[in-house]
């Protein structure tokens, strides 16, 4: 889910690709935002960036990627 968000896809596009309802995707994105403390999809992508992976203080918690 996070990779698709990072790829710039909208919830409806993600839903079509994963054969889910747009509402289910919306809930998953909300969960990722909540778990990471990000305030937007852009913040979520930034938190998951390679720079965040190099600096453990910026990395996502393990539960945020599931």
């Amino acid at each position: 889910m996070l990779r698709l968000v990072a790829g710039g896809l909208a919830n409806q596009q993600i839903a079509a690709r994963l054969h889910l309802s747009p509402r289910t995707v919306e809930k998953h994105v909300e969960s990722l935002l909540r778990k990471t403390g990000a305030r937007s999809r852009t913040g979520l992508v930034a938190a998951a960036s390679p720079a965040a992976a190099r600096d453990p203080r910026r990395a996502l918690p393990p539960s945020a990627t599931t």
Side-chain angles (χ1 to χ4, degrees), residues 9-66:
L9 286 115
N11 288 353
Q12 285 190 314
Q13 294 170 312
I14 295 170
R17 188 170 289 188
L18 298 179
H19 306 287
L20 299 170
S21 77
R23 182 74 175 144
T24 299
V25 173
E26 182 180 323
K27 288 298 184 181
H28 282 294
V29 172
E30 287 174 4
S31 178
L32 287 169
L33 290 167
R34 188 175 54 255
K35 288 177 181 182
T36 62
R39 293 184 176 170
S40 66
R41 292 168 79 102
T42 303
L44 183 60
V45 172
S49 72
R54 288 190 299 273
D55 183 353
R57 293 171 293 171
R58 295 180 59 198
L60 294 173
S63 62
T65 58
T66 58

